[in-house]
Amino acid sequence: MNKILITGSSGQIGSELVGLLRSKYGNDQVVALDNRKSGDAEVVDVTDVDALGEVFNKHSIGTVYHLAGLLSATGEKNPSLAWNVNLNGLKNILDLSLAHKADKVFWPSSIAAFGPSTQKKMAPQDARTNPSTMYGVTKVAGELLCDYYHTRYGLDVRSVRYPGLISHATEPGGGTTDYAVTMFYEALQKRRYTCFVKPTTVLPMMYMDDAIRATLGIMDADADRIKVHTSYNLAGLSFSAEELAAAIGRRLSGFMCEYAPDFRQQIADSWPESIDDHQARADWGWKPKYDLDALVDTMLSALSKKLHIPLV
Ligand code: SER
């Protein structure tokens, strides 16, 4: 069997996907790759096409989950780095996948592909994409690049526009929607959180289990069911910062959330509040499972175990 390569293997999605795919296919079948040393991961920067090529040469790679990338807030601090890692990294992966005849490539886009003039509620699949962050620019350009490699070279690249992802395995990683992940940590550790977006800020979000199911769902679908070769809209749930704080407060006595919006407010305001994902549902059977109560219960119980802090 050709091996599976996962880049960004110690990131938010990668750290969960590596374990899952290894338990399904065996440790040797899944090659982890990250720019930081972590477990048995190949330590390679995805902008280094030669080093990346050696990994493709060493292992017989048939499927790639290319997850390495900078998120929105980190990207605004260093736009050139975001461009280089997010776009040149993607192009390196697409070129090597073609050269090594990989069967399938997964690459994540994001709600950040949208911008201030995108329809705010239920942003449609073909909504206007005019991002105001470098991260969003790399997502729109990346979507077009994936579509180009599919049309021009027949490469089977599949993609979804993830909402803000909420999970407990890794620490928050420089995204704007990460306010929600940080809120869980601080609620448990300090019973207080100063939130960097306004209480009324509503964003599309998704619990990690749903995100992983979507990822495997689109990758397992027969090729003829994939009709969108840029990136599929994907929705889980939408909530405001104050709705999340209230849901945590109902489960954790004495939790106080304050609000001190910073530069990330403008990023959050540029994104839609909710997403119309009917095409993903129709084409490859996508359906989310987690609502706000299920998400908050699961996050608090997992983090309480991880941080050894009882839920009272
Ligand atoms: N979660 C990402 C971010 O906030 C959006 O895709 O940067």
Side-chain angles (χ1 to χ4, degrees):
M1 176 187 146
N2 284 338
K3 291 187 185 173
I4 299 168
L5 173 67
I6 303 181
T7 74
S9 60
S10 64
Q12 190 187 19
I13 306 165
S15 59
E16 307 218 12
L17 198 59
V18 169
L20 197 96
L21 292 180
R22 282 189 168 164
S23 64
K24 209 164 160 185
Y25 299 111
N27 281 1
D28 297 348
Q29 295 306 313
V30 179
V31 180
L33 183 150
D34 205 277
N35 66 344
R36 290 167 293 177
K37 179 99 200 93
S38 160
D40 63 357
E42 300 272 5
V43 183
V44 170
D45 188 319
V46 294
T47 62
D48 183 346
V49 71
D50 294 334
L52 210 48
E54 280 173 30
V55 174
F56 273 79
N57 281 332
K58 189 165 130 194
H59 307 278
S60 170
I61 302 295
T63 305
V64 184
Y65 291 83
H66 175 45
L67 306 174
L70 266 66
L71 290 179
S72 59
T74 315
E76 284 316 279
K77 288 187 182 147
N78 195 340
S80 297
L81 184 66
W83 175 273
N84 195 22
V85 173
N86 292 9
L87 273 180
N88 292 334
L90 172 61
K91 184 163 182 302
N92 290 342
I93 288 287
L94 296 176
D95 285 335
L96 286 166
S97 298
L98 264 185
H100 289 261
K101 301 191 171 31
D103 304 327
K104 256 185 263 183
V105 179
F106 176 84
W107 172 76
S109 186
S110 155
I111 52 163
F114 298 123
S117 59
T118 305
Q119 187 177 311
K120 277 275 167 216
K121 292 194 198 308
M122 296 300 276
Q125 177 63 46
D126 60 356
R128 178 135 188 247
T129 49
N130 66 328
S132 54
T133 61
M134 178 55 94
Y135 174 67
V137 168
T138 67
K139 290 304 184 190
V140 174
E143 289 186 6
L144 295 174
L145 198 62
C146 289
D147 191 41
Y148 179 83
Y149 273 67
H150 172 261
T151 310
R152 169 93 198 250
Y153 304 115
L155 187 65
D156 188 351
V157 197
R158 304 179 183 196
S159 177
V160 294
R161 292 170 173 154
Y162 287 129
L165 299 184
I166 299 183
S167 65
H168 50 80
T170 53
E171 309 265 314
T176 301
T177 56
D178 277 343
Y179 88 78
V181 182
T182 314
M183 191 186 290
F184 282 100
Y185 276 87
E186 305 251 317
L188 271 163
Q189 289 169 321
K190 304 181 187 155
R191 301 281 150 146
R192 287 186 92 86
Y193 176 52
T194 305
C195 183
F196 58 75
V197 296
K198 290 191 283 196
T200 49
T201 305
V202 176
L203 286 170
M205 299 280 191
M206 180 173 283
Y207 183 59
M208 182 58 82
D209 285 15
D210 272 345
I212 297 278
R213 270 193 321 104
T215 309
L216 299 179
I218 190 172
M219 285 298 270
D220 287 345
D222 290 342
D224 62 0
R225 296 186 67 181
I226 307 299
K227 314 267 192 243
V228 175
H229 295 283
T230 49
S231 190
Y232 274 95
N233 274 10
L234 193 69
L237 68 167
S238 288
F239 53 78
S240 66
E242 65 189 350
E243 281 166 342
L244 179 63
I248 295 175
R250 284 195 290 277
R251 292 157 173 89
L252 215 53
S253 59
F255 172 54
M256 291 257 308
C257 191
E258 293 161 323
Y259 298 88
D262 65 13
F263 73 100
R264 290 167 283 194
Q265 182 67 49
Q266 211 181 339
I267 301 179
D269 287 343
S270 75
W271 294 342
E273 293 183 354
S274 56
I275 303 290
D276 175 353
D277 65 353
H278 78 268
Q279 188 144 7
R281 291 171 184 252
D283 289 359
W284 44 275
W286 162 245
K287 194 166 186 257
K289 281 191 182 157
Y290 281 78
D291 62 12
L292 185 58
D293 282 330
L295 180 151
V296 174
D297 283 335
T298 311
M299 279 295 287
L300 284 177
S301 121
L303 277 180
S304 146
K305 285 193 199 100
K306 177 177 168 182
L307 304 171
H308 306 290
I309 301 172
L311 272 180
V312 280

